[in-house]
Amino acid sequence: RGKEIRKNAIKWKDLAREAVDEGQGHINPMLQFAKRLVAKGVKATLVTTIFLSNSVTLSDPTSSIDLQTISDGFDQGGFAQAKSPHTYMSTFKSVGSQNLASLIKKLGETTRLKFDALVYDSFMPWALDVAKQFGLLTAVFFTQSCAVNSIYYHVSKGTLKLPVEEPNVSIPGLPLLQVSELPFLLYHYGLYPASFDMIVGQFSKHEAADWVLINSFHELEKEVIDKMPEIWKLGTIGPTIPSMFLDKRLENNKDYGMSLLEQNTSTCMNWLNSKPNGSVVYVSFGSMAELGLEQMAEIALGLKESNYYFLWVVRKSEESKLPNNFKVEIGEKGLIVAWCPQLEVLKHESLGCFLSHCGYNSVLEALCLGVPMLAMPQWADQATNAKHVEDVWKIGIRPSLDEKGIVRKEVIKQCINEMMQGEMGKEMKKNADKWKNLAREAVDDGGSSDTNIDEFVSKLVCV
Ligand code: UDX
């Protein structure tokens, strides 16, 4: 019974962390989109839940974005406070929609703000009904790649049946996908029913929205975007990387958003500054992935025995998995931090490549800063992203797994060598630079995403 209770406790701890981190992963792109709207002369109000607002601080106190909060019914503990994920989702829907409606009404009365449109996250389809009550235009905002959304869309329509029984899956506009290259929830079908409902629920009302906005850019996912015309009422508005990382004219502006954790900025930047150009491997598995002990040890040894410097983000909760004495043994060769300013790290000239779990934000960031990748997906959408990194965008490789699903240290060393010095590495770097330029062009004046944002803005009465 004790074991059972501990298992449940761990499950709830994971779900709680997932709720906050996923929330931030969704707020960040929305915040950056709001900033682009403001740059076009639109007034933007960003609404988040009371619980999440405690872990979100805008780093730009003079921001022209108005930050407002509503209760989701769980102000003290968010997701973890609810008895189950289903309770959370249904309470968020009922309490959240009432509170969102009250907020729109209140702001209309007290500030004389007249809203024209509601841009809402795809995980809260009920926001469409709130917007319609007020006669607002509606835009559903998808934070993940078009490829991943396309797969989920086909599941929701029943054109991709679960459980998948064939070894390969064919989706229009996508390369043939092995089952293990689908998003984790689909090949572990049935394990997380609430998350599954949330994913499929994204498509319950999106056809009624005036626009569908995707955090991608047309050049990046042309094939799949062009195959899905019926849900694309406007299209791509990304990448939602802070403008100062895409536009040289803005690069001295440091107020680019918000951070989840203490970033150890000066430690990281001083250390990187002391390293030669292209000599450092940056390693991060994002805000959520939890590696097994064996995998952690193989990465540690692979990095230690490789010929390159490394900066490794090991979150506090993962630190005890490092081999004994590892930090001492590596000396100046490696720096381990609990969290870092990732965009600034990726932009640093000492960087050679990025060993990553392939969370969508990390992939977009590497791509926008021209950094080639070693792709080690763990769960969520990461396997599909990693497939694109290697086979579609050709900016990285996936180190092979052994029969236990572990990437061994020899493979890690060999892939790092290849990426830092080999012909393949040069090719990947060239491709990454190509995508970097295309991403910049997409959000630059007259680019594909910029034009879509202009079109959206032109429909707003207030502009
Ligand atoms: C989660 C899922 O795991 C991912 O698959 C999905 O695509 C988005 O939501 P996460 O695992 O945190 O996200 O990965 P990712 O999408 O890469 O986002 C991590 C963010 O944290 C990035 O914006 C990155 O710049 C930032 N980060 C990461 C830091 O600022 N510092 C760090 O040390 C590590």
Side-chain angles (χ1 to χ4, degrees):
R1 185 154 157 71
K3 274 192 196 140
E4 187 61 22
I5 290 170
R6 271 196 299 280
K7 212 170 91 192
N8 286 337
I10 289 169
K11 184 185 89 183
W12 284 112
K13 181 196 81 177
D14 289 348
L15 286 172
R17 178 156 346 126
E18 188 178 327
V20 175
D21 293 342
E22 278 286 342
Q24 297 229 330
H26 283 240
I27 292 167
N28 232 346
M30 190 72 98
L31 170 63
Q32 298 304 329
F33 177 61
K35 288 188 167 225
R36 297 237 164 95
L37 291 179
V38 169
K40 302 260 179 207
V42 176
K43 173 116 183 77
T45 299
L46 183 70
V47 183
T48 182
T49 63
I50 291 173
F51 173 67
L52 280 181
S53 74
N54 296 331
S55 54
V56 172
T57 325
L58 291 176
S59 70
D60 174 6
T62 60
S63 172
S64 43
I65 293 167
D66 178 27
L67 194 58
Q68 295 284 341
T69 55
I70 55 168
S71 176
D72 54 2
F74 301 101
D75 298 347
Q76 306 311 318
F79 207 63
Q81 198 188 337
K83 287 209 172 62
S84 72
H86 272 122
T87 310
Y88 180 82
M89 292 312 288
S90 62
T91 311
F92 187 28
K93 179 178 171 184
S94 56
V95 175
S97 44
Q98 269 177 27
N99 289 334
L100 183 58
S102 307
L103 179 72
I104 294 174
K105 193 157 171 273
K106 186 187 95 187
L107 290 177
E109 286 163 4
T110 57
T111 66
R112 293 213 211 108
L113 265 185
K114 161 124 184 31
F115 292 109
D116 285 324
L118 179 67
V119 182
Y120 62 94
D121 191 279
S122 57
F123 283 150
M124 38 191 289
W126 45 264
L128 182 117
D129 299 327
V130 176
K132 296 279 178 207
Q133 278 176 44
F134 292 91
L136 305 184
L137 295 169
T138 47
V140 50
F141 188 100
F142 285 83
T143 44
Q144 294 187 331
S145 73
C146 182
V148 165
N149 286 313
S150 158
I151 297 170
Y152 291 148
Y153 175 67
H154 283 282
V155 172
S156 78
K157 288 281 163 207
T159 37
L160 173 57
K161 298 222 178 323
L162 297 181
V164 178
E165 271 153 13
E166 305 79 38
N168 292 306
V169 171
S170 168
I171 305 257
L174 295 184
L176 210 56
L177 296 169
Q178 291 178 18
V179 175
S180 61
E181 292 168 339
L182 290 171
F184 180 88
L185 266 179
L186 305 186
Y187 69 89
H188 288 95
Y189 175 57
L191 272 185
Y192 302 94
S195 303
F196 184 76
D197 288 352
M198 195 162 80
I199 273 166
V200 171
Q202 295 179 100
F203 304 95
S204 59
K205 291 175 192 279
H206 81 290
E207 280 160 355
D210 297 302
W211 293 281
V212 176
L213 307 179
I214 305 275
N215 182 15
S216 184
F217 56 104
H218 190 254
E219 295 74 8
L220 185 68
E221 298 198 88
K222 189 174 177 336
E223 287 74 16
V224 60
I225 290 169
D226 291 346
K227 285 280 188 293
M228 301 182 71
E230 81 271 31
I231 77 157
W232 266 199
K233 294 204 185 106
L234 175 62
T236 45
I237 50 78
T240 55
I241 306 298
S243 304
M244 49 289 295
F245 291 96
L246 295 169
D247 185 341
K248 267 205 155 322
R249 290 166 299 181
L250 302 172
E251 69 187 3
N252 291 327
N253 184 348
K254 293 284 174 216
D255 291 326
Y256 52 79
M258 44 159 256
S259 172
L260 185 62
L261 299 162
E262 170 63 45
Q263 295 190 316
N264 305 294
T265 304
S266 55
T267 313
C268 294
M269 299 325 276
N270 290 340
W271 188 85
L272 290 174
N273 286 341
S274 71
K275 303 292 173 277
N277 285 1
S279 66
V280 177
V281 181
Y282 169 55
V283 187
S284 167
F285 287 83
S287 60
M288 294 154 72
E290 297 189 356
L291 299 180
L293 264 183
E294 205 175 349
Q295 183 61 84
M296 195 83 169
E298 295 290 335
I299 296 172
L301 293 176
L303 291 171
K304 191 170 110 181
E305 292 172 19
S306 85
N307 295 323
Y308 301 93
Y309 294 110
F310 62 90
L311 167 57
W312 187 2
V313 176
V314 180
R315 299 189 318 274
K316 279 266 170 299
S317 54
E318 293 283 282
E319 207 181 318
S320 62
K321 297 178 187 169
L322 284 170
N324 285 341
N325 231 16
F326 185 69
K327 279 191 180 174
V328 178
E329 282 171 15
I330 55 174
E332 189 45 26
K333 179 162 191 193
L335 176 67
I336 296 183
V337 291
W339 199 247
C340 76
Q342 180 162 300
L343 279 157
E344 286 169 51
V345 168
L346 288 173
K347 195 177 163 211
H348 200 277
E349 50 202 17
S350 65
L351 260 235
C353 73
F354 180 12
L355 170 54
S356 165
H357 69 316
C358 288
Y360 187 54
N361 294 299
S362 291
V363 173
L364 274 187
E365 289 164 10
L367 193 131
C368 288
L369 292 163
V371 181
M373 304 182 82
L374 290 176
M376 280 183 59
Q378 302 298 308
W379 71 306
D381 54 341
Q382 296 153 16
T384 315
N385 298 339
K387 165 79 175 170
H388 279 71
V389 161
E390 183 174 88
D391 288 347
V392 181
W393 303 323
K394 300 189 192 316
I395 57 164
I397 48 175
R398 289 174 291 182
S400 52
L401 310 174
D402 71 0
E403 65 289 347
K404 280 174 75 185
I406 306 274
V407 181
R408 295 293 165 192
K409 66 172 186 172
E410 289 76 19
V411 178
I412 293 175
K413 270 163 40 186
Q414 189 197 340
C415 289
I416 290 178
N417 266 336
E418 187 53 61
M419 206 46 96
M420 299 289 273
Q421 271 190 329
E423 282 313 304
M424 198 191 280
K426 285 191 195 130
E427 191 60 35
M428 303 286 150
K429 172 70 184 144
K430 218 165 83 193
N431 292 335
D433 282 338
K434 178 192 88 179
W435 288 115
K436 173 172 100 176
N437 292 332
L438 288 170
R440 283 160 198 225
E441 278 168 32
V443 293
D444 208 349
D445 295 347
S448 57
S449 295
D450 186 65
T451 305
N452 286 339
I453 296 175
D454 277 343
E455 200 185 311
F456 173 73
V457 168
S458 73
K459 299 290 188 306
L460 305 178
V461 181
C462 63
V463 182

